[in-house]
Amino acid sequence: MSGKVANSDVLSVFFDSVAVMLSAGIQTDEAVHMFSEDMKDASFKAACDRIYRSLIAGEGLAESMVRTGVFPRYAVEMIATGERSGRLEQVLRSLAVYYDEENRLFTKIKSALGYPAALLCIMSVILAFTVAVILPVFSDIYENIAGSLTAGSFNAVGISLVIGWVALILVLVLTVIALIFAIMSRTAGGRNALMKVFEKLPFTKGAMFDLAFSRFITCLSVYVASGIDTDMSMYEALQTVTHKKMRRQVKQAYDFMIDIENPRSLAQAISETNMLEPVYARMLSIGARAGSLERTLERLSDIFFEEATDRIDAVVDGIEPVLAALMTIAVGATLISVMLPLIGVMASIS
């Protein structure tokens, strides 16, 4: 069985509910079954039922989740990490917070893009009518009364047509981009694709790096807390990294740690790859020496997650004003393109 990836809000509720029931002493299979009994989403209910059957057959939660095809790769890998390390409840709570925040962000994106996208569609129709119907009328009028008009009047018509077409093209491009992003933000698969786009955009790639680092540190802290040595913890955490730049740096840090001639500690390896700013690198080093590496990693994960969400919030909050400004420019250009021929006529008459 496979299906589309579940939405972030559903995932957050699922992980939080199962974590709460586990903390109450309820077994994983019963927790999933109890959750599915109250589900109204038929597709996700079917996925939970499939997980329940797999669990009572002796499979693990992560393996059962993979079979449904509705859980993101990151969630499955983190659940597998939690099961191997004996910290499943903590991982479930962490995933609940992560997907709740992701849902909040994409809700803001939908709100920021939906209204401007609708206005841009209307603006595109108005501009297309202006350029295709209204402006050619001025050209016809000029041709009929060409004997009494100056060359400047004809230039005014030409300039107005150019401005009109430029404004139309600009609005059409913005409309297509806004619609694509708005549609992508409404599905889980589209959100994943949107995150990939954000990783490449200059004004969002920094936030995506912080988010990827937060994911990596969270996974690493789970392994360290379970008593696994730092070398193996780094190796296992590396397998969950999908961000290309982050993966290269983590791989380099791991190579530093297992270097036979000059092996580094976890804190030294991460510091030398410049994944962390000096203040955070020192924080990690102090935490390692004080014997509180796990808590330090958890704190760093929280810091970078908050920084990432704050930076994404800032970008999302700036989308609507930017689109409004561009629409204002397009409207102004349209008015100018209509007024220029009239100015040309007035100049010729005078």
Side-chain angles (χ1 to χ4, degrees), residues 111-128:
S111 175
L113 290 175
Y115 180 65
L119 290 181
L120 285 169
C121 289
I122 296 173
M123 191 66 197
S124 298
V125 174
I126 295 173
L127 279 174

Side-chain angles (χ1 to χ4, degrees), residues 23 30 53 126 136 158 161 164 168 193 213 240 254-255 257 271 275:
S23 67
E30 286 301 320
R53 290 193 297 269
I126 295 173
L161 286 171
L168 176 60
F213 189 77
T240 67
Y254 175 68
D255 291 340
M257 294 175 66
S271 177
M275 280 189 286

Side-chain angles (χ1 to χ4, degrees), residues 60-292:
L61 179 57
E63 185 179 0
S64 303
M65 289 166 58
V66 169
R67 295 182 183 277
T68 67
V70 303
F71 290 91
R73 176 184 171 184
Y74 172 68
V76 173
E77 290 175 342
M78 284 299 295
I79 293 295
T81 300
E83 289 183 305
R84 290 195 297 268
S85 63
R87 294 173 60 86
L88 180 58
E89 182 186 334
Q90 292 89 332
V91 169
L92 286 168
R93 292 187 184 279
S94 175
L95 287 172
V97 172
Y98 174 81
Y99 284 106
D100 179 64
E101 190 67 19
E102 181 180 86
N103 179 64
R104 183 188 66 80
L105 287 174
F106 278 105
T107 299
K108 288 189 66 174
I109 290 175
K110 285 189 291 185
S111 175
L113 290 175
Y115 180 65
L119 290 181
L120 285 169
C121 289
I122 296 173
M123 191 66 197
S124 298
V125 174
I126 295 173
L127 279 174
F129 179 78
T130 301
V131 173
V133 178
I134 296 179
L135 292 182
V137 170
F138 286 107
S139 298
D140 293 338
I141 294 175
Y142 279 11
E143 289 178 2
N144 292 333
I145 58 176
S148 61
L149 297 180
T150 64
S153 301
F154 290 104
N155 291 335
V157 175
I159 294 173
S160 67
L161 286 171
V162 171
I163 293 175
W165 278 108
V166 169
L168 176 60
I169 293 172
L170 173 64
V171 171
L172 286 176
V173 170
L174 291 175
T175 302
V176 171
I177 294 174
L179 286 175
I180 290 175
F181 278 23
I183 293 171
M184 290 173 66
S185 67
R186 294 181 180 276
T187 63
R191 292 177 181 181
N192 290 333
L194 202 56
M195 296 291 275
K196 295 294 183 183
V197 173
F198 286 166
E199 288 180 6
K200 299 177 181 179
L201 295 177
F203 46 87
T204 55
K205 64 180 181 181
M208 292 298 101
F209 184 87
D210 288 346
L211 191 59
F213 189 77
S214 174
R215 283 179 166 189
F216 160 69
I217 290 294
T218 298
C219 186
L220 182 62
S221 68
V222 171
Y223 278 112
V224 171
S226 66
I228 300 175
D229 67 83
T230 53
D231 288 0
M232 183 57 66
S233 296
M234 177 66 87
Y235 174 78
E236 293 293 344
L238 171 62
Q239 310 312 310
T240 67
V241 179
T242 57
H243 191 286
K244 292 182 179 180
K245 180 181 177 181
M246 173 63 63
R247 187 173 181 82
R248 287 195 301 269
Q249 291 184 311
V250 174
K251 178 63 169 61
Q252 184 182 19
Y254 175 68
D255 291 340
F256 286 158
M257 294 175 66
I258 62 173
D259 187 349
I260 297 177
E261 297 181 357
N262 182 27
R264 282 81 148 182
S265 67
L266 174 64
Q268 289 175 327
I270 292 179
S271 177
E272 289 185 23
T273 55
N274 296 320
M275 280 189 286
L276 287 174
E277 295 178 11
V279 61
Y280 295 132
R282 182 169 178 78
M283 175 180 170
L284 181 61
S285 178
I286 293 173
R289 290 201 300 268
S292 57

Side-chain angles (χ1 to χ4, degrees), residues 282-302:
R282 182 169 178 78
M283 175 180 170
L284 181 61
S285 178
I286 293 173
R289 290 201 300 268
S292 57
L293 180 59
E294 174 197 347
R295 289 193 295 273
T296 303
L297 288 171
E298 290 176 351
R299 178 57 183 153
L300 284 173
S301 175
D302 292 340

Side-chain angles (χ1 to χ4, degrees), residues 135 138 141-142 153 156-157 160 335-349:
L135 292 182
F138 286 107
I141 294 175
Y142 279 11
S153 301
V157 175
S160 67
L335 292 175
I336 291 173
S337 66
V338 173
M339 292 300 297
L340 276 177
L342 296 178
I343 296 172
V345 172
M346 296 298 294
S348 298
I349 294 174

Side-chain angles (χ1 to χ4, degrees), residues 9-22:
D9 55 343
V10 176
L11 292 173
S12 177
V13 173
F14 172 77
F15 292 132
D16 187 57
S17 299
V18 174
V20 169
M21 285 185 274
L22 289 181

